[in-house]
Amino acid sequence: MLGAVLATAPSASAQDAPESLGYGKELTYGINFNSNAGLIGGASVRSTRMLNDQWSRFWMIEGVEVKHPKEQRVGNPNTGGIYVQGKSNYLFVVRPSFGVQRIIFRKAPESGVQISAIAGGGPSVGLLMPYYIYYDYTEPATRPNAGPDDIRAEQYDPSKHFSSRIYDRAPLFQGVSETKPNIGAHARGAFNFEYGRYRDAVAGLEAGVLVEAFTNPLTVLRDQGISDAKLNDQVFTSVYLTLYIGHRN
């Protein structure tokens, strides 16, 4: 479907902006919210080139965090520490994308809302970064020769880490040097609503659906009674909303 949409789009030319528009390029910066993330999913940068008064082509790069739908935060009542039960890795995804955009309804100059349809896709790079916790190996004080506190930062593994001894979650980038890349691909379809009031300024939102697949299941959560492949997915779908601002020339 994406290929068909791309094929119907007019070819880019070396000429300047279409005279009816008065501009030829846009550069926007967005904040992403999606159904596979927390409060804020990530961020994006997009460059768009107008082909004529209806069609444009774009490339963009987007970075988001993807969370497992069964993630649950729990706390240690003795230390006040909070961690995610069974979480073994963070999953961050970098998405270089290209696609086309077609204006469906054009707004009046300096007023109204412009509505466009978008189709795009490209590769996905899934980055699995270990989720570290502080684990308490301290010997009980009742034992002879009990030593000082022994609290270590380790990647969370529910098969060997007992909840009662998890002291707290370690800092986000504790395991950054052990990050492992995974290759996949994604496709998206969306509607774009532009609210910019001035010719050289852009502001609006994009609402759409994204489908993404990787070559292997990505282990985010682990459970002693379930295999990693069964608990974790390699195909993800999400509904997203991106708020953006930018400029054009």
Side-chain angles (χ1 to χ4, degrees):
M1 179 178 179
L2 174 59
V5 174
L6 292 172
T8 59
S11 300
S13 66
Q15 298 181 356
D16 292 332
E19 293 183 3
S20 59
L21 295 176
Y23 61 90
K25 297 179 181 179
E26 292 181 354
L27 183 64
T28 59
Y29 308 89
I31 298 177
N32 175 277
F33 306 86
N34 68 78
S35 56
N36 288 339
L39 180 60
I40 297 178
S44 64
V45 178
R46 175 184 293 177
S47 176
T48 303
R49 176 180 290 274
M50 305 306 299
L51 304 178
N52 56 38
D53 61 355
Q54 286 189 317
W55 287 92
S56 60
R57 282 185 173 165
F58 67 85
W59 67 263
M60 64 179 291
I61 187 163
E62 180 178 59
V64 301
E65 180 182 6
V66 177
K67 295 186 176 182
H68 196 287
K70 294 184 178 180
E71 287 191 17
Q72 182 178 0
R73 298 177 67 187
V74 295
N76 184 326
N78 298 319
T79 65
I82 297 176
Y83 62 95
V84 178
Q85 182 70 43
K87 190 177 181 77
S88 183
N89 292 286
Y90 295 99
L91 173 57
F92 300 100
V93 182
V94 178
R95 302 180 183 125
S97 299
F98 69 95
V100 293
Q101 177 172 313
R102 187 182 190 280
I103 297 175
I104 299 173
F105 177 80
R106 187 179 304 281
K107 67 183 179 68
E110 300 185 4
S111 65
V113 178
Q114 181 168 289
I115 303 175
S116 304
I118 288 176
S124 295
V125 181
L127 304 174
L128 283 176
M129 186 175 75
Y131 182 85
Y132 268 65
I133 56 169
Y134 288 123
Y135 194 71
D136 190 356
Y137 284 95
T138 305
E139 292 289 339
T142 55
R143 291 189 178 183
N145 302 318
D149 290 348
D150 182 7
I151 298 175
R152 309 174 198 173
E154 297 181 337
Q155 183 177 6
Y156 188 11
D157 183 348
S159 66
K160 69 176 185 179
H161 293 133
F162 301 104
S163 298
S164 60
R165 284 184 167 267
I166 297 177
Y167 190 83
D168 200 355
R169 174 179 68 93
L172 173 62
F173 294 107
Q174 181 77 42
V176 66
S177 63
E178 303 168 66
T179 300
K180 298 178 180 179
N182 296 265
I183 303 302
H186 69 275
R188 76 178 76 217
F191 288 102
N192 187 295
F193 303 87
E194 182 197 318
Y195 299 92
R197 296 187 58 190
Y198 304 103
R199 187 192 66 82
D200 58 350
V202 186
L205 63 87
E206 178 179 313
V209 177
L210 184 139
V211 179
E212 187 165 49
F214 293 89
T215 54
N216 299 297
L218 304 182
T219 302
V220 176
L221 288 190
R222 305 189 72 183
D223 190 292
Q224 294 186 63
I226 307 175
S227 67
D228 291 346
K230 187 174 181 179
L231 181 61
N232 296 275
D233 297 322
Q234 65 187 94
V235 178
F236 301 85
T237 59
S238 65
V239 177
Y240 73 90
L241 175 70
T242 299
L243 304 180
Y244 65 85
I245 57 173
H247 65 273
R248 54 168 60 117
N249 53 53

